[in-house]
Amino acid sequence: MFELTRKVAIVTGGSSGIGRATALLFAERGAQVMVADVNDSGGWETAKMIENAGGQGFFVHTDVSKLQDLSNLIDITVQQYGGVDILFNNAGMAYFKGSLTTSEEEFQRTLDVNLKSTFFASTLAAAKMRGKGGVIINNSSVNAVSGAADLVAYSASKGGILAVTIAMAKEYAPYGIRVNCILPGPIDTPINERRPEMITDRVATLAQMANLTLLKRVGAPRDVAYGALYLASEEASFVTGTALVVDGGYLAAR
Ligand SMILES: NC(=O)c1ccc[n+]([C@@H]2O[C@H](COP(=O)([O-])OP(=O)(O)OC[C@H]3O[C@@H](n4cnc5c(N)ncnc54)[C@H](O)[C@@H]3O)[C@@H](O)[C@H]2O)c1
């Protein structure tokens, strides 16, 4: 079950957190994994971790907000591994700010890194998947539907990802390409280390984040990776245009 043997997977944001956990899990299940990130040392480390575990992985420096980098990523993946079967649009960033303090540049950057990247990486990958099918998985957030007062531009970008997921699922279904997204709740990764309250009191902030879930814990990157594995696998062949919530009951508790 949930095997990815002979599949080629791209994982953006694979240098860290959820992306690294997913790259490792996909490789464990037999996929050849192309890791893409702006963080070169982390990306090569992930590729090395894959190889050390007996899998196949490679890294390509990619700023997902740049179309040229995305095009290069797809071309190198096809050259190296012969195609693209799975794309995990996972790279992301956040300014922990309300709308009143968010600058135009910050708003634009958030949309470029989180949403524009998802849109264009998907179009480029879908062009290679047409004819033989494929899977696109987008990493959205519970904030896509619940919103967060200290993450307003981020919430906008993640809501956009949810909408693009549904629209592209409709557009690509005739080509055998499934498109889904994941809505993670609070997960213990470096992105949360930039929360102002985390810098002040890490232990108390993690406890507060855990308390927002029904299960009273913060998720691990691998919790989300298992969701991505399911969506990528043949076992999810009847699943498209949907959002898988991996949040320990965060949304149910709202
Ligand atoms: N951690 C959480 O609580 C949580 C909750 C919901 C959704 N998410 C989403 O999960 C995804 C992964 O984040 P994470 O939590 O693992 O955090 P992370 O900071 O560990 O990982 C994000 C990765 O994206 C990369 N990245 C940032 N900007 C990039 C760019 N322009 N081009 C290429 N790579 C870039 C970073 O270098 C990093 O490796 C993000 O999209 C995030 O919004 C996280």
Side-chain angles (χ1 to χ4, degrees):
M1 292 244 304
F2 309 121
E3 291 305 320
L4 301 180
T5 315
R6 285 186 295 280
K7 299 292 182 190
V8 176
I10 294 174
V11 177
T12 72
S15 295
S16 169
I18 295 167
R20 170 174 284 173
T22 306
L24 294 174
L25 185 60
F26 281 9
E28 250 176 64
R29 298 306 169 104
Q32 294 167 304
V33 180
M34 190 60 83
V35 176
D37 209 295
V38 280
N39 173 353
D40 291 7
S41 59
W44 283 116
E45 198 179 308
T46 303
K48 205 175 169 69
M49 288 164 84
I50 290 172
E51 298 275 336
N52 289 345
Q56 286 185 70
F58 202 76
F59 171 72
V60 182
H61 175 90
T62 311
D63 180 342
V64 295
S65 69
K66 294 183 179 159
L67 263 64
Q68 187 52 53
D69 280 22
L70 292 174
S71 177
N72 188 46
L73 167 65
I74 302 289
D75 287 349
I76 291 178
T77 306
V78 171
Q79 277 164 29
Q80 175 108 350
Y81 293 132
V84 184
D85 301 299
I86 300 158
L87 170 65
F88 185 30
N89 285 310
N90 164 76
M93 52 80 67
Y95 295 103
F96 291 91
K97 289 185 167 191
S99 63
L100 299 178
T101 54
T102 300
S103 69
E104 184 180 0
E105 288 71 27
E106 288 166 340
F107 182 81
Q108 190 62 56
R109 183 75 189 146
T110 307
L111 258 63
D112 285 353
V113 174
N114 297 354
L115 179 58
K116 189 181 93 173
S117 64
T118 297
F119 187 98
F120 285 104
S122 299
T123 63
L124 291 161
K128 303 293 178 193
M129 291 172 177
R130 279 174 74 154
K132 67 183 188 80
V135 182
I136 297 171
I137 304 158
N138 300 323
N139 208 355
S140 177
S141 165
V142 287
N143 295 139
V145 291
S146 68
D150 63 341
L151 280 166
V152 178
Y154 178 82
S155 299
S157 71
K158 295 297 182 176
I161 291 172
L162 175 60
V164 156
T165 299
I166 298 166
M168 283 188 176
K170 291 177 178 175
E171 185 183 6
Y172 297 162
Y175 307 114
I177 302 169
R178 296 187 294 107
V179 188
N180 292 291
C181 66
I182 302 178
L183 309 190
I187 310 295
D188 190 9
T189 71
I191 205 169
N192 284 312
E193 301 298 331
R194 287 187 286 277
R195 286 178 179 275
E197 65 274 26
M198 197 78 150
I199 295 160
T200 314
D201 190 342
R202 188 170 192 277
V203 175
T205 304
L206 279 174
Q208 274 164 17
M209 287 165 68
N211 208 35
L212 293 172
T213 72
L214 293 181
L215 298 179
K216 303 299 175 200
R217 74 168 173 93
V218 172
R222 208 159 164 104
D223 290 323
V224 182
Y226 279 118
L229 175 64
Y230 166 65
L231 292 172
S233 73
E234 268 305 299
E235 281 76 8
S237 66
F238 196 51
V239 180
T240 198
T242 197
L244 177 65
V245 179
V246 182
D247 72 344
Y250 174 97
L251 286 181
R254 300 276 73 73

